[in-house]
Amino acid sequence: MARILIVEDEINIVRLISFRLERLGHTISAAASGGAGLVAARQLSPDLILLDVMIPELNGFQVLERLKADPATESIPVLMLTARGHEHDIVAGLEGGAEDYIVKPFSFPELIARVSTALARHGH
């Protein structure tokens, strides 16, 4: 299946998402900060990134900007997964190059559907 990188600093959220996605056959990696997420994206070349906005070092919007500016990572689809659900945040994420924007709290069926759709769009 797909290699998915979760950039999220709340370990319980990482565990829950990992458990669900691994049951579907995906391989999961995680990073707990923006800087670590950028390093992991370059090293692992994942098929998809789930990116929180409120993370240490660099926030998710800064990480997204850097991912999309780097030829090595620009084509990796990014799903923003965050509690920041204001319209201007959603627009900023989508205009910044995010494939989708999911607001916490989310349902697992919705998350799985959005992950599957994004992967299918990119040939996985």
Side-chain angles (χ1 to χ4, degrees), residues 34-35 38 51 55 58-68:
L38 287 172
L51 177 61
I55 50 177
L58 302 167
N59 70 43
F61 296 121
Q62 294 167 316
V63 172
L64 179 64
E65 180 180 359
R66 292 181 188 192
L67 288 169
K68 295 304 173 185

Side-chain angles (χ1 to χ4, degrees), residues 104-119:
K104 295 175 190 173
F106 56 88
S107 74
F108 279 103
E110 178 186 2
L111 175 67
I112 290 166
R114 290 177 185 256
V115 164
S116 297
T117 299
L119 289 169

